[in-house]
């Protein structure tokens, strides 16, 4: 389900450099939905993964980059389900946008706060259990930002857009 206003339709949009993409059919291409809010539970993860895949394809990533994006996206959702909501269903909102430079996924939830200092971290080639999620997300996304605002966790995953051949 989609919701909210679309800022590009308002003349006073405070985000002139960011183009929010909304579901519409243009003469060139049909874009996937730009926002969804859903009860996060394992049976629904596939549909959210499909949303990320459609966006990665729409903006022109190749199959290798799409695989990296999906691995990082899947890991982010699994971590929200397991850690933020203690493996119980909970609401997650995903907003997708592009700028001239990046594809951005903004994932928010109302679960427990994520404290990076308490999370195990691994280095490539290191052996051990846990702590691999950050590596998977870093492989898929060049920019990862986390913050907590008003009882809400917000995870931003951004990857530079592919360079278009011949352009």
């Amino acid at each position: 389900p989609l919701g909210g206003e679309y800022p590009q339709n308002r003349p006073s949009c405070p985000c002139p450099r960011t183009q929010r993409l909304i579901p519409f059919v243009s003469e060139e291409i049909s874009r996937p939905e730009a926002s969804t809010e859903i009860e996060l539970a394992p049976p629904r993860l596939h549909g959210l993964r499909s949303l990320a895949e459609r966006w990665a394809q729409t903006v022109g990533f190749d199959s290798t980059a799409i695989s990296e994006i999906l691995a990082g996206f899947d890991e982010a959702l699994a971590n929200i389900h397991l850690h933020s909501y203690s493996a119980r269903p909970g609401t997650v909102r995903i907003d997708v946008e592009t700028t001239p430079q990046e594809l951005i996924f903004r994932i928010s939830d109302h679960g427990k706060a994520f404290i990076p200092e308490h999370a195990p971290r691994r280095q490539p080639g290191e052996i051990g259990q846990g702590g691999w999620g950050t590596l998977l997300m870093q492989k898929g996304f060049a920019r990862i930002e986390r913050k907590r605002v008003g009882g809400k966790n917000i995870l931003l995953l951004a990857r530079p857009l592919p360079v278009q051949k011949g352009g």
Side-chain angles (χ1 to χ4, degrees), residues 61-73:
F61 285 107
D62 64 27
S63 61
T64 300
I66 290 171
S67 293
E68 294 169 350
I69 289 167
L70 294 179
F73 188 80

Side-chain angles (χ1 to χ4, degrees), residues 75 120 122-137:
E75 183 63 25
R122 299 285 174 203
Q123 297 300 317
E126 186 179 349
I127 298 174
Q129 186 174 4
W132 298 104
T134 298
L135 288 175
L136 281 172
M137 288 191 290

